[in-house]
Amino acid sequence: MFVQVCLYFYCKCLWRCLKFVVRKLTGQCELQRICYNTKPGAARTMKIEASLKGSKSKRLQTSVSVHPDAIEKTIDDIMELKRINPDINPQLGVSLQACLLQIVGYRNLIAEVEKLRREPYDSDNPQHEEMLLKLWKCLKPNSPLKARISKQWCEIGFQGDDPKTDFRGMGLLGLYNLVYFAEWDTEIAQQVLSDSLQPKYREVTKKELSQFSKAEWEKKKFDKAIGYSFAIVGINITDLAYNLLVSGALKTHFYNVAPEAPTLTHFQQTFCYLMHEFHKFWIEEDPLDIMEFNRVREKFHKRILKQLQNPEMALCPHFAASESLINM
């Protein structure tokens, strides 16, 4: 333990000495080198974030958690602390501001999402009820809901005759995401719902077919493709998106697609992407029964995490609702 502590401080001191030498040689501080040598996006913003958090200056450490309205003042403080002339380096202030907007915005997005997650569904709240009924109308426009408490809710993937009990895990966040998907990507949401009720096989390649034994092929011929409960899976994918956000894994995506602060709309659009991709992944995996859901979900989770390890990764969904975000 003592050796590890000594090694930590040794590496820390060595790193700071190295930074001092590089600054003397280049005439630029670390923030300048990052902004000038790294293209805009996740690569730059994450390096700026790490540099500020790892600074020995408390003012720099706290700059990543300021109020959005204080960002301009914070940039001035950073320039003053680093003895950088803004008239000679005007682009640096612009670049730092863009990075801080993303960093602070991500933190605020977590708080906003957490607030929705913690708010339970209240059937006595007219707004909550209105959103729930909107979900039905978007997904089943040609099938009027006969009653608020009805077995019809099972047709869109809820477990019982009153959906409010299914939102306990993710609170209003689950409902917000499902309504967004159904309202803004209606055609795809309805198709995913239809496929979940009438599941399809993925096509078996000739190579796979040649690898089947006679017994396996006989079993495969009589197997049924397995569907899933659309709404319940939507709430589950909301949980997956929430964990990606809170863990910081989604920084790569948001810092690449949001030119400034990522918003709740960015998060909901990411949910749409994940929902659609999970649906395709479920068909590819072709599980034997619904009991394999957790295995498939975990495998899908690992695939998304691996994609997000690429600093240039953007989960660019092919949905109408995302076009305005991609073009920002």
Side-chain angles (χ1 to χ4, degrees):
M1 182 66 180
F2 177 74
V3 174
Q4 289 179 328
V5 171
C6 291
L7 186 61
Y8 169 76
F9 282 107
Y10 172 77
C11 291
K12 195 170 184 179
C13 291
L14 185 63
W15 174 244
R16 285 183 175 169
C17 288
L18 182 60
K19 286 194 343 182
F20 177 79
V21 171
V22 173
R23 171 155 192 170
K24 288 298 181 181
L25 291 174
T26 63
Q28 297 177 340
C29 69
E30 185 177 38
L31 296 177
Q32 287 175 296
R33 296 194 300 274
I34 293 171
C35 288
Y36 294 153
N37 299 323
T38 311
K39 68 179 182 179
R44 176 190 288 179
T45 301
M46 292 174 80
K47 285 180 180 179
I48 291 292
E49 187 174 12
S51 178
L52 292 172
K53 285 182 176 180
S55 174
K56 61 183 179 182
S57 167
K58 288 292 183 183
R59 288 169 67 186
L60 293 185
Q61 290 175 15
T62 57
S63 65
V64 298
S65 57
V66 298
H67 190 276
D69 294 340
I71 287 179
E72 286 191 26
K73 173 66 167 58
T74 302
I75 298 299
D76 293 338
D77 291 343
I78 291 173
M79 301 284 271
E80 180 184 352
L81 187 64
K82 291 293 185 178
R83 298 175 185 175
I84 300 170
N85 188 332
D87 295 327
I88 300 175
N89 302 273
Q91 187 56 41
L92 179 64
V94 175
S95 299
L96 285 176
Q97 184 174 8
C99 290
L100 275 183
L101 281 169
Q102 290 183 319
I103 295 165
V104 172
Y106 191 93
R107 178 178 59 86
N108 291 340
L109 176 59
I110 290 177
E112 185 178 5
V113 166
E114 183 63 34
K115 184 179 179 181
L116 284 173
R117 189 186 73 86
R118 289 178 177 271
E119 185 174 354
Y121 183 89
D122 183 2
S123 57
D124 294 326
N125 187 318
Q127 291 181 332
H128 295 187
E129 288 286 286
E130 184 181 349
M131 286 188 69
L132 183 60
L133 294 175
K134 180 191 283 189
L135 177 63
W136 176 270
K137 289 176 183 177
C138 288
L139 292 174
K140 306 279 285 186
N142 300 319
S143 301
L145 189 65
K146 295 176 182 178
R148 166 62 181 81
I149 307 297
S150 169
K151 289 293 183 184
Q152 281 181 282
W153 290 111
C154 295
E155 294 176 21
I156 61 172
F158 286 103
Q159 290 180 325
D161 56 10
D162 190 353
K164 72 176 185 180
T165 58
D166 292 328
F167 291 115
R168 289 173 183 166
M170 284 285 109
L172 276 190
L173 184 63
L175 178 59
Y176 266 60
N177 279 350
L178 284 169
V179 170
Y180 185 90
F181 186 30
E183 184 177 16
W184 290 98
D185 291 316
T186 308
E187 185 177 345
I188 292 175
Q190 289 176 353
Q191 185 61 56
V192 171
L193 171 61
S194 176
D195 290 348
S196 72
L197 295 170
Q198 299 172 329
K200 301 174 181 178
Y201 275 125
R202 65 176 175 85
E203 291 188 11
V204 180
T205 65
K206 289 183 178 180
K207 182 178 179 182
E208 289 177 315
L209 192 60
S210 65
Q211 293 173 346
F212 282 144
S213 66
K214 185 176 180 181
E216 287 174 328
W217 175 240
E218 288 298 320
K219 182 178 185 299
K220 190 72 178 173
K221 282 197 303 183
F222 294 103
D223 273 350
K224 289 184 178 180
I226 303 299
Y228 56 80
S229 300
F230 175 88
I232 295 301
V233 168
I235 295 170
N236 201 290
I237 296 301
T238 293
D239 176 69
L240 187 148
Y242 166 79
N243 283 304
L244 288 172
L245 177 74
V246 173
S247 70
L250 278 179
K251 285 181 179 180
T252 307
H253 168 63
F254 286 143
Y255 290 170
N256 282 327
V257 300
E260 294 185 346
T263 64
L264 182 62
T265 302
H266 289 100
F267 178 77
Q268 290 175 314
Q269 189 55 58
T270 304
F271 165 79
C272 292
Y273 171 81
L274 292 173
M275 190 70 178
H276 192 214
E277 288 299 303
F278 178 79
H279 176 66
K280 292 189 293 184
F281 189 75
W282 178 266
I283 294 173
E284 289 172 9
E285 286 294 301
D286 193 17
L288 293 174
D289 54 50
I290 196 63
M291 298 303 291
E292 287 199 77
F293 177 82
N294 287 338
R295 177 192 66 79
V296 176
R297 180 191 184 277
E298 185 59 28
K299 190 173 178 180
F300 176 72
H301 185 200
K302 288 179 179 178
R303 174 195 275 193
I304 296 297
L305 281 175
K306 186 175 181 180
Q307 291 175 352
L308 290 170
Q309 288 174 359
N310 178 359
E312 297 186 1
M313 183 63 190
L315 302 175
C316 293
H318 304 291
F319 292 105
S322 68
E323 290 176 1
S324 60
L325 299 180
I326 294 172
N327 295 326
M328 284 176 64

